Amino acid sequence: MKRGFTPKVVTANHLLDGDTIWLTEDDRWTRDMREAELIEDEAHGQLRLLLAESQPDVAVGVYLADAMATPDGPAPVHFREAFRTRGPSNYAHGKRAEQTNV
């Protein structure tokens, strides 16, 4: 049996700096998931995905991510998306911070 459509947001990575970005209802890209458009219709989600994919000069790795409505705007449902809202993970940490040839 097919599961029902769950709310989604369009997300990607910014082409030039790699930051996580989300598509807003007014067709802007934002670095704040709370400003993203929460999509609750599968057909509308596919249209928004097509729009995002048509902007390879801005966004790469475009996909629909599960999200939930909150009073502050969309929020992540899964760990991966929650992790992406915190920014890049490629900064030196722990042992890597002490290595000079990394």
Side-chain angles (χ1 to χ4, degrees):
M1 184 163 93
K2 185 176 177 182
R3 290 178 39 194
F5 184 79
T6 57
K8 310 249 188 269
V9 291
V10 176
T11 187
N13 289 94
H14 191 269
L15 176 65
L16 297 180
D17 60 28
D19 285 351
T20 303
I21 54 177
W22 290 271
L23 189 62
T24 66
E25 192 171 349
D26 62 352
D27 301 337
R28 291 180 301 107
W29 288 102
T30 181
R31 286 172 171 76
D32 185 350
M33 184 179 187
R34 296 171 297 183
E35 295 178 8
E37 175 184 14
L38 186 64
I39 301 164
E40 300 185 282
D41 176 75
E42 187 170 6
H44 183 68
Q46 291 303 313
L47 290 174
R48 301 301 284 161
L49 189 61
L50 286 172
L51 172 71
E53 289 173 339
S54 74
Q55 300 176 33
D57 56 326
V58 176
V60 294
V62 176
Y63 65 96
L64 291 171
D66 290 338
M68 63 181 163
T70 73
D72 295 324
V77 172
H78 299 292
F79 171 77
R80 178 178 193 258
E81 299 310 319
F83 189 76
R84 292 179 77 235
T85 64
R86 292 193 283 271
S89 61
N90 59 348
Y91 300 119
H93 297 91
K95 293 177 186 176
R96 291 195 71 182
E98 298 169 10
Q99 296 174 346
T100 58
N101 62 344
V102 177

